[in-house]
Every structure is written in C-alpha cells, then in structure tokens.
Amino acid sequence: MKRARAFELYVAGVCVILGILLVGQVRTQEYIGKSQIPSRRLEDLSDMLRRSDAERLILEKEVEVLREQVSKVVEGEKAAETVRVELARTRMVAGLAAVEGPGVIVTLNDSKRQAGPGESPELFLVHDNDILQVVNELFAAGAEAVSVNGQRMVATSEIRCSGPVISVNNVRIGPPYEIHAIGNIDALDSALHMRDGILDTLRAWGIEAKVQKSAAVHVPGYKGGLYFQYAKPALEGAQK
Amino acid sequence: MMLPAIGLVVGIIIALLTPLRFPIEYSQYIAIGILAALDCVFGGIRAGLQGTFDKTVFISGFLVNTALATVLTMVGDKLGVDLVLGATVAFSIRIFTNVGIIRRYILDKWFRKTLK
C-alpha cells in the first residue's frame, strides 16, 4: 500500500498541473467563443492579421517614401515656378519679350516745308539725334519699354545716322518714325510737351511730330541676336 | 486511488481562484500540454497498478513528452503542416491503451475479489 501511495503522489502532482491547464484552457475557449470566433477559424484569422500587419508596415513605409517624393516634387515645382517667373520677368526687363500697356505713340516725319534760300535742307529732316532725344526724354519720364519702328530699345541698342536712313539695332529705318513707349501716359506726354522741349524744337523746324496717347501700346521684343563676347557676369552680381 | 483525483480537484480550485487565462495564440500549445498531462497521468496509474512505476521515468516522460509535443506543434506551425495532429493521435492512442489496461486490471481485481 505504501508503494502505491508513492506513485499516487506523483500522479497527483501531474494532476494538479492538469487541472490548472484544463481550467485555463476552458476559460480561453470560453473567451474565444464569447468573441464569436470559431476556434478553427482563429488560426486563419490570426494569420491574416499577421499578414495584413506586415502589409500595413510595408505600406506605411511606402507612404513615407511617397510623401517625401511629393514634397520634393512640390519643392521642385515651386523652384521651377520661381525660375519661370523670374525668367519671364528678366526677359521682359531685358527687352526680349513683347510687352503691352498704357503709353504714347510718337510719330515723327520729315518737314514738308521747302528749304528756303541759304537754308540747309538737312534741317528739315528727322535726324538720328532727334529720335535719340525723344527716346531719351521718354526714358527719363519713366518709360518702361520703348521701340522705334518696331525696334525694341535694349542694352545694346544704338540710334545712329546711317546715310539717308537711321540705323536702330543695326536695322535701317526710314521716315515716318513711330516711337512706341509704355509708361505713365501723363508723365510721358508732358515730358514730350515740355516748354522748349524736344517737340517744340522739332516743330520749330516744321518737322511733323504727333503724340498719340493709348491705353494699349504694343512694344515688340528685341529680335536681333544677343551675343556678348566680352561682357561676362560679374561674380558678386551673378548669383541669379 | 483517491490522491490523483484530489490533486486534480486541487489544481482546478487553484486555477479557479486565480484569474488565469492563456493568450489565444498559445491555446494550441496548452491543448497539447493537457493531452500530454492526461497521457502521463494514465500512464502513471497503469504503471503504478502494474507495480512497474519509476518516478524518474514518470517525471522525465512527462517533461520530455510535453516538450516534444510543443516543439512538434511549433515546427508544424512554421512549416504549415499540422504536426500537432500527430502528437494528438499519439497521445490519444496511448491514453486509450493505458485506460484499457487500467480497466482490465481493475475489472480483474474486482472479479477476483467477488468470485472468491
């Protein structure tokens, strides 16, 4: 009987463990049942959960990468947009782009008056100097864009006598001369009509000078070649 | 013969007094553990009744069988093969065999007693 009791003791020990496990497992199964999940399906579900968790992690990383790309693209677009706007502005300032705005159109034509005896007929012609003065006056009055017979005044423009005609931007032009200027209409007009100003002087010689105010003056862009052989952007001003 | 039953009751009471619950993902391992324990208990009783009980064999058998079953389940989980079924079947067969032997032993004893 004593020997029998010894083995019973060990078996009883395992039985205690068995009891604990049984109750725990029953509770777990009850809990699973309560959550309305058949235990057979549980494995599949937990597997799906694991997989979708992993998937979610990958997608999250993808979202991060994409977000970064989007911000980079937006930044790039912003930069490109800034450059584009800057370029358009620079082209306009440089006179490469056609512009439009309020301003005046000055028309100059040779005098119809016949030169009297002892008078030089040259005095009754429109000279390069006259046009230069008009253009100068217009710029002084705040003109933002000026063209002479469709030749836009740019940094390299010249107005020079070229025999019977006048050379502007190395293009020969003849009368009548039409000077387009964009700027404050009143300022431009009054600058031209200044007492003893350019128009007074020209008219004294009988040169036909007409100033026409317009709300929409068209000034074409410079169409010639731009070739800077000697001038290079100076370093300190060359960041942009 | 009362001691194992008392032990079972004690274990159940202990578990009931504590808020013990296993994580759901381990429920399969607990199930195989219960089978291993059951197998062990019946094997122990059989050995005891036959007089061949050895505590070292008993304890080591319980531990090793449980560990093996758990490892099998784990490996099966990883491989996608239900190796746990193998362990379940093996334990079940042993339990049935042991219970059968115990039954016969008890019947034998009882009949001998009553026939005498």
Side-chain angles (χ1 to χ4, degrees):
Chain A
M1 206 57 199
K2 226 174 183 215
R3 205 184 55 187
R5 279 211 176 275
F7 93 79
E8 275 183 27
L9 206 64
Y10 286 105
V11 172
V14 174
C15 273
V16 171
I17 298 171
L18 181 65
I20 294 171
L21 286 177
L22 269 174
V23 171
Q25 181 71 350
V26 167
R27 269 194 195 150
T28 308
Q29 290 299 323
E30 268 177 2
Y31 174 71
I32 293 169
K34 245 186 244 163
S35 19
Q36 303 286 324
I37 306 166
S39 70
R40 228 10 240 166
R41 186 121 167 71
L42 199 69
E43 229 179 300
D44 293 343
L45 286 174
S46 72
D47 186 47
M48 275 163 72
L49 180 68
R50 245 200 314 271
R51 248 184 250 170
S52 56
D53 257 358
E55 228 167 89
R56 188 175 57 84
L57 222 66
I58 292 168
L59 287 173
E60 255 174 22
K61 270 183 196 153
E62 213 175 301
V63 162
E64 220 168 275
V65 169
L66 286 175
R67 207 168 271 164
E68 220 168 274
Q69 275 180 10
V70 164
S71 72
K72 264 187 198 160
V73 165
V74 167
E75 251 170 53
E77 258 176 14
K78 263 189 207 154
E81 181 67 18
T82 311
V83 167
R84 222 167 51 75
V85 169
E86 189 67 24
L87 185 65
R89 215 180 75 80
T90 308
R91 279 172 62 83
M92 190 183 72
V93 169
L96 297 178
V99 288
E100 230 174 40
V104 295
I105 297 171
V106 184
T107 316
L108 301 175
N109 212 339
D110 294 341
S111 173
K112 290 198 174 70
R113 210 170 78 186
Q114 290 297 313
E119 277 179 329
S120 170
E122 279 211 1
L123 291 169
F124 304 100
L125 299 176
V126 177
H127 287 274
D128 53 325
N129 224 26
D130 304 331
I131 292 171
L132 192 57
Q133 277 183 21
V134 171
V135 169
N136 209 25
E137 205 62 56
L138 288 168
F139 273 128
E144 289 167 359
V146 177
S147 69
V148 180
N149 276 21
Q151 288 304 318
R152 176 74 172 268
M153 293 293 109
V154 294
T156 54
S157 294
E158 90 289 356
I159 297 173
R160 182 177 177 274
C161 181
S162 176
V165 290
I166 291 171
S167 160
V168 177
N169 285 353
N170 284 324
V171 174
R172 276 149 207 208
I173 58 173
Y177 303 100
E178 210 170 68
I179 302 166
H180 291 215
I182 294 174
N184 185 313
I185 294 176
D186 293 329
L188 296 178
D189 191 55
S190 55
L192 292 170
H193 286 107
M194 217 188 297
R195 190 179 291 257
D196 286 335
I198 178 67
L199 284 187
D200 274 0
T201 312
L202 287 173
R203 277 169 184 156
W205 297 106
I207 286 170
E208 287 175 21
K210 201 172 72 190
V211 179
Q212 190 190 334
K213 296 182 193 175
S214 171
V217 175
H218 182 82
V219 174
Y222 177 63
K223 291 183 191 72
L226 278 177
Y227 181 56
F228 285 79
Q229 188 179 358
Y230 301 103
K232 294 273 182 296
L235 276 179
E236 51 177 347
Q239 310 100 311
K240 278 193 177 172
Chain B
M1 266 319 283
M2 284 309 287
L3 225 45
I6 291 167
L8 187 65
V9 170
V10 167
I12 288 171
I13 287 168
I14 289 172
L16 284 176
L17 289 180
T18 54
L20 176 82
R21 198 171 67 202
F22 304 110
I24 294 172
E25 54 264 44
Y26 294 137
S27 91
Q28 206 174 31
Y29 296 95
I30 303 304
I32 206 73
I34 287 170
L35 262 182
L38 262 178
D39 166 64
C40 197
V41 165
F42 286 117
I45 290 169
R46 191 210 68 187
L49 290 176
Q50 290 179 331
T52 55
F53 184 82
D54 185 311
K55 63 184 178 187
T56 320
V57 171
F58 178 74
I59 297 294
S60 67
F62 172 59
L63 293 179
V64 170
N65 280 353
T66 311
L68 180 65
T70 310
V71 168
L72 266 179
T73 310
M74 218 155 65
V75 170
D77 225 10
K78 289 266 182 276
L79 293 179
V81 183
D82 272 339
L83 286 182
V84 68
L85 288 179
T88 310
V89 169
F91 282 135
S92 303
I93 289 172
R94 278 165 54 106
I95 288 167
F96 276 114
T97 315
N98 285 336
V99 171
I101 292 170
I102 292 164
R103 175 173 48 90
R104 244 169 262 164
Y105 190 89
I106 291 170
L107 280 177
D108 208 28
K109 229 174 150 186
W110 191 70
F111 271 117
R112 248 188 234 149
K113 216 189 259 174
T114 47
L115 282 176
K116 263 182 189 171

